[in-house]
Coordinates of all heavy atoms in Angstrom, one line a residue:
I1 N 109.5 116.9 103.9 CA 110.1 117.3 105.2 C 109.9 118.8 105.3 O 109.2 119.2 106.2 CB 111.6 116.9 105.3 CG1 111.8 115.4 105.1 CG2 112.2 117.4 106.6 CD1 110.9 114.5 106.1
A2 N 110.5 119.6 104.4 CA 110.4 121.0 104.5 C 109.0 121.5 104.4 O 108.7 122.6 105.1 CB 111.2 121.7 103.5
G3 N 108.0 120.8 103.9 CA 106.7 121.2 103.8 C 106.0 121.1 105.1 O 105.0 121.8 105.5
V4 N 106.5 120.3 106.0 CA 106.0 120.0 107.3 C 106.8 120.9 108.3 O 106.2 121.7 109.1 CB 106.1 118.5 107.8 CG1 105.7 118.4 109.3 CG2 105.2 117.6 106.9
V5 N 108.2 120.8 108.3 CA 108.9 121.5 109.2 C 109.2 122.9 108.6 O 110.2 123.2 108.1 CB 110.2 120.8 109.5 CG1 111.1 121.5 110.6 CG2 110.0 119.4 109.9
N6 N 108.3 123.8 108.9 CA 108.3 125.2 108.4 C 107.9 126.2 109.4 O 106.8 126.7 109.3 CB 107.5 125.3 107.0 CG 107.5 126.7 106.4 OD1 108.7 127.4 106.6 ND2 106.6 127.2 105.7
P7 N 108.7 126.6 110.4 CA 108.3 127.4 111.5 C 108.0 128.8 111.0 O 108.5 129.3 110.1 CB 109.5 127.4 112.4 CG 110.7 127.0 111.5 CD 110.2 126.0 110.5
P8 N 107.1 129.6 111.7 CA 106.6 130.7 111.3 C 107.7 131.8 111.3 O 107.8 132.7 110.3 CB 105.6 131.2 112.3 CG 105.1 129.9 112.8 CD 106.2 128.9 112.8
A9 N 108.7 131.7 112.1 CA 109.8 132.8 112.2 C 110.7 132.6 111.0 O 111.4 133.6 110.7 CB 110.6 132.5 113.4
A10 N 110.7 131.6 110.3 CA 111.5 131.4 109.0 C 111.1 132.3 107.9 O 111.8 132.6 107.0 CB 111.6 130.0 108.7
G11 N 109.8 132.4 107.9 CA 109.2 133.2 106.8 C 109.4 132.6 105.4 O 109.5 133.3 104.4
K12 N 109.3 131.3 105.4 CA 109.6 130.6 104.1 C 108.3 129.9 103.5 O 107.3 129.6 104.3 CB 110.7 129.6 104.3 CG 112.0 130.1 104.7 CD 112.9 128.9 105.0 CE 113.2 127.9 103.8 NZ 114.2 126.9 104.1
Y13 N 108.3 129.7 102.2 CA 107.2 129.0 101.5 C 105.9 129.6 101.7 O 105.8 130.8 101.9 CB 107.2 127.5 102.1 CG 108.6 126.8 102.1 CD1 109.1 126.2 103.2 CD2 109.3 126.7 100.8 CE1 110.3 125.5 103.1 CE2 110.5 126.1 100.8 CZ 111.0 125.5 101.9 OH 112.3 124.9 101.9
Q14 N 104.9 128.7 101.6 CA 103.5 129.3 101.5 C 102.5 128.1 101.7 O 103.0 126.9 101.7 CB 103.2 130.1 100.2 CG 103.2 129.1 99.0 CD 104.6 128.7 98.5 OE1 104.9 127.6 98.7 NE2 105.3 129.6 97.8
Y15 N 101.3 128.4 101.8 CA 100.3 127.3 101.8 C 99.0 127.8 101.2 O 98.8 128.9 101.0 CB 100.0 126.7 103.3 CG 99.5 127.9 104.2 CD1 98.1 127.9 104.3 CD2 100.2 128.7 104.9 CE1 97.4 128.8 105.2 CE2 99.6 129.6 105.8 CZ 98.2 129.7 105.9 OH 97.6 130.6 106.7
W16 N 98.2 126.8 100.9 CA 96.9 127.0 100.1 C 95.8 126.4 100.9 O 95.9 125.3 101.4 CB 97.0 126.5 98.8 CG 97.9 127.2 97.8 CD1 97.7 128.2 96.9 CD2 99.2 126.9 97.5 NE1 98.7 128.6 96.2 CE2 99.8 127.8 96.7 CE3 100.1 125.9 98.2 CZ2 101.1 127.8 96.2 CZ3 101.4 126.0 97.8 CH2 101.9 126.9 96.8
T17 N 94.7 127.1 101.1 CA 93.5 126.6 101.6 C 92.4 126.8 100.5 O 92.5 127.6 99.7 CB 93.1 127.3 102.9 OG1 93.1 128.7 102.7 CG2 94.1 127.0 104.0
G18 N 91.3 126.0 100.7 CA 90.3 126.2 99.7 C 89.0 125.5 100.1 O 88.7 125.3 101.4
D19 N 88.1 125.1 99.3 CA 86.9 124.5 99.5 C 87.1 123.0 99.8 O 87.4 122.2 99.0 CB 86.1 124.6 98.1 CG 84.6 124.1 98.4 OD1 84.2 123.6 99.4 OD2 83.9 124.1 97.4
N20 N 86.9 122.7 101.1 CA 87.0 121.4 101.5 C 86.0 120.4 101.0 O 86.0 119.3 101.4 CB 87.1 121.3 103.1 CG 88.3 122.1 103.7 OD1 89.5 121.8 103.2 ND2 88.1 123.1 104.6
R21 N 85.0 121.0 100.3 CA 83.9 120.1 99.8 C 84.3 119.9 98.3 O 83.4 119.2 97.6 CB 82.6 120.8 99.9 CG 82.1 121.0 101.5 CD 81.0 122.0 101.4 NE 81.3 123.4 101.0 CZ 80.6 124.4 100.9 NH1 79.4 124.3 101.2 NH2 81.0 125.5 100.4
A22 N 85.4 120.4 97.9 CA 85.7 120.1 96.4 C 85.7 118.6 96.1 O 86.2 117.8 96.8 CB 87.1 120.7 96.1
A23 N 85.2 118.3 94.9 CA 85.1 116.8 94.6 C 86.4 116.2 94.1 O 86.7 115.1 94.2 CB 84.1 116.7 93.4
T24 N 87.4 117.1 93.6 CA 88.6 116.7 93.2 C 89.8 117.6 93.7 O 89.5 118.7 94.0 CB 88.7 116.6 91.6 OG1 88.5 117.9 91.1 CG2 87.4 115.7 91.1
L25 N 90.9 117.1 93.5 CA 92.1 117.9 93.9 C 92.2 119.1 92.9 O 92.5 120.2 93.3 CB 93.4 117.0 93.7 CG 94.7 117.8 94.0 CD1 94.8 118.5 95.3 CD2 95.9 116.9 93.9
D26 N 92.0 118.8 91.7 CA 92.0 119.9 90.7 C 91.1 121.1 91.0 O 91.4 122.2 90.9 CB 91.8 119.4 89.2 CG 93.0 118.6 88.7 OD1 94.0 118.6 89.2 OD2 92.7 117.8 87.8
E27 N 90.0 120.6 91.4 CA 88.8 121.6 91.7 C 89.3 122.4 93.0 O 89.2 123.6 93.0 CB 87.5 121.0 92.0 CG 86.4 121.8 92.4 CD 85.1 121.1 92.7 OE1 84.9 120.1 92.1 OE2 84.3 121.5 93.5
F28 N 89.9 121.7 94.0 CA 90.4 122.4 95.2 C 91.5 123.4 94.9 O 91.5 124.5 95.3 CB 91.0 121.4 96.2 CG 91.6 122.0 97.4 CD1 90.9 122.2 98.5 CD2 93.0 122.2 97.4 CE1 91.5 122.8 99.6 CE2 93.6 122.8 98.5 CZ 92.9 123.1 99.6
V29 N 92.5 123.0 94.0 CA 93.6 123.8 93.6 C 93.1 125.1 92.9 O 93.5 126.2 93.1 CB 94.6 123.0 92.9 CG1 95.7 124.0 92.3 CG2 95.2 122.0 93.8
A30 N 92.1 124.8 91.9 CA 91.6 126.0 91.1 C 91.1 127.1 91.9 O 91.1 128.3 91.6 CB 90.6 125.5 90.1
G31 N 90.4 126.7 93.0 CA 89.9 127.7 93.9 C 90.6 128.1 95.2 O 90.1 128.8 96.1

């Protein structure tokens, strides 16, 4: 829930972006 409902004004949490061609989740997280 909180991972979805996180309005910009709250200034909470964070998110990660990466290589969308990564073969595995571990590979995505690593980069």
Side-chain angles (χ1 to χ4, degrees):
I1 303 302
V4 173
V5 184
N6 184 25
K12 296 175 65 176
Y13 307 125
Q14 68 283 103
Y15 65 91
W16 292 265
T17 53
D19 183 3
N20 294 307
R21 296 165 298 177
T24 66
L25 174 60
D26 288 341
E27 182 180 327
F28 174 89
V29 171

